[in-house]
Amino acid sequence: MRHTISILCDDTPGVLTRISSLFSRRGFNIESLSVGHTETPGKSRFTIVVEGDEKILEQVRKQLQKLVHVIKAWGISQEESVEREHALLKIQMSEKQRGEILQIITAVQARIVDSSNRTWILEVTGDTSAIDNAFNLFRHYKIIESIRTGKISLERGSGKAAKK
Amino acid sequence: MTESRLTGATAMVKSLESQGVEVIFGLPGGAALPIYDELAKSKIKHILTRHEQGAAHMADGYARASGKVGVCLATSGPGATNLVTGLATAYMDSSAVVAITGQVPRSMIGNDAFQEVDITGITIPITKHNYLVKGAADLPHIIEQAFFLASTGRKGPVLIDIPRDVQLEDFSPDRVKRAPLEGYNPTIEGHPRQITKAAQLIKSAQTPLLITGGGVFHSDSSEDLQNLAEKADIPVVNTLTGKSTFPNSHDLYFGMLGYHGTVVANTAVSEADVIVAVGVRFGDRTTGPLPTFAKQAKLIHIDIDPAEISKNVPSYLPIVGDAKNILSQLGELLPEMKHRDWICHLKEISKAHPLPAKMVGVSTPNILCILQEIVKDAVLVTDVGKHQMFAAHYISVESPRSFITSGGLGTMGFGVPAAIGVKVARPDRTVIDIAGDGSFMMTCNQIATAVQYNIPICVLVMNDYCLGMIHQLQDVFYGKRYEACNFDKSVDYAKLAESMGAVGIRVTEQKQIKGAIEKGLSCGKPCVIDFVLEDNSNVYPMVTGSSLLEYRE
Ligand SMILES: Cc1ncc(C[n+]2csc(CCOP(=O)(O)OP(=O)(O)O)c2C)c(N)n1
């Protein structure tokens, strides 16, 4: 099963290694990992997506919680959270294809963020399946390169998850 | 440097002094010399070891024997990597060690400088936390934090890596930087409702059992444990590291459980309806095959580390917190109870399955029994192998922190240096290391350290001219093919000890055993007794099947 783990931690050198090694040690492949600053100076937040055994993952979560720099590590359920992922795609097209591509762009609510002669860079935002869907649609054209941020998640409701 | 300014090294040594550090075990090198130069001016005693692994084991032994933090010091590169085995040993057994390493100057880090090694990277998985110090102004606070981390919650080793130029950098003490530890809040108080529930569960039990581990001695809760066991009349078994948590001569004591556990302890675990496990992490040597472990029992698991709850054995009622508080509260909540039928049943099993060894000749069990008659209340340290299991079975210890052994990592070579650390911490106690010849050879260089600082430990080498435990495994499971197991008989351990300035005694006959031990203990010097074993029987019981009740004895 696929799991999402959220981690609030100190923004300090080495914290990524400490976190990721707890996963790799137990044979988990991190599917996506995104990290950035939070509203509190000096604090970062990770969203990590992994596939694997729930029991082992719970052990990983407890071990994460033991890291001195980790303030809180908790699992996030898909239903109770808002999830977003961001992707950039560089697409090459012929004159003829432009119209079709523009239609897809409208359909998946992508934006053109850069354009040159015969390539566009498109930006797509959405939950993971929306991004997957966009990729599927653009796959019929020539994707020169692409990049995804990995998922970020925030729980719905008015509370602060890390305070719970 | 103006008067009010400090260098990193001065600040560090001052911080160590204010932490109450009395002794450091270490070995210098270029990247640590500014620290050594400051130590020369300090009242902290430095013990020059012969190898850094030993320095870490000494700090570990010191910590386990005293309950204080043990400190070791090494230089960068090879000095730091030599600490690794010792730190991993301390980590597995939750021992409060602070390791300080020199590092190449900041400007050279990452350039493969001479004797540069990424020791903070290497030790992430074997330390509770570690630091690479970026500036001298951070040092006082980091030292304070390191001691706090090492000695609170679930204890463990903490490493501080200090670049040489940070040691030399000067700073103004009012510029000291502090970083709070927001993510570190160990739970100390057990949850009152869980404790009440536990009391109810214990009250309802017919065949309750206490399993005690190293956590009991780390939390100094032996007295509370004993009160509880006596009041509620609950039998006690222990893990290897938990051996000295309960008086071994006590009526309620039934020995060690696990892979090499006594038949009665393993039966008790299998027949108990409620198990109270205190400060145990249910390592595989303790549980044997998990699917069959304690199947009939509801488990109350008391541990300070929430990650231990249901890690290996599902717990019915977890109580996270310091064992001392929890045990004393539980003890108060429980009424006087009697479980005489259960205890009589266990005593019958115990009688039907005595320890199998014959007490004759120069054999480890016989030596241990003779030792037992001669010394009362010594601190026993062991190495790793058959002799360790024999010691766990045949020696009875009565007071806390009196049986010190490498349980989790099973580090051969732990014995001699750990015993030195123990003796430094507890000069008032007799300290005896039970060693195997294989283990002894791994760190016997530290006998020279013991001699130099006049630390009178007594090492009993169970010399079977082989890696005994490997011999046993090959005997039982590998068709008696003793590959890479035997030593030739070239080394005379008594002479080896003498050459380092210690007292060396060689024993080849049963009638010499008693006199040799008496001499070793009374000579007032470090002493090595080389017991050339006549009998090299396997150590039993040993679990061979898919449950703790399938064993050879
Ligand atoms: C550093 C290290 N290397 C290897 C082992 C594997 N090992 C476990 S017991 C043992 C044999 C120990 O021999 P000895 O110290 O002579 O004790 P004996 O079993 O003979 O009592 C070995 C090699 C270990 N535990 N530690």
Side-chain angles (χ1 to χ4, degrees), chain B residues 53 85 364 383-390 406 409-414 434-442 461-473 484-485 487 493 533 536 539:
Chain B
Q53 179 189 345
T85 302
T364 307
D383 257 299
V384 171
K386 264 164 54 176
H387 62 280
Q388 180 187 30
M389 294 302 124
F390 279 127
S406 167
L409 200 69
T411 308
M412 287 171 70
F414 175 77
I434 314 286
D437 50 338
S439 298
F440 179 71
M441 277 299 254
M442 289 204 177
V461 182
M462 304 298 148
N463 180 6
D464 53 8
Y465 294 109
C466 77
L467 298 167
M469 185 59 97
I470 301 302
H471 193 275
Q472 170 160 353
L473 292 172
C485 179
F487 297 132
Y493 298 108
L533 298 183
N536 192 21
V539 61

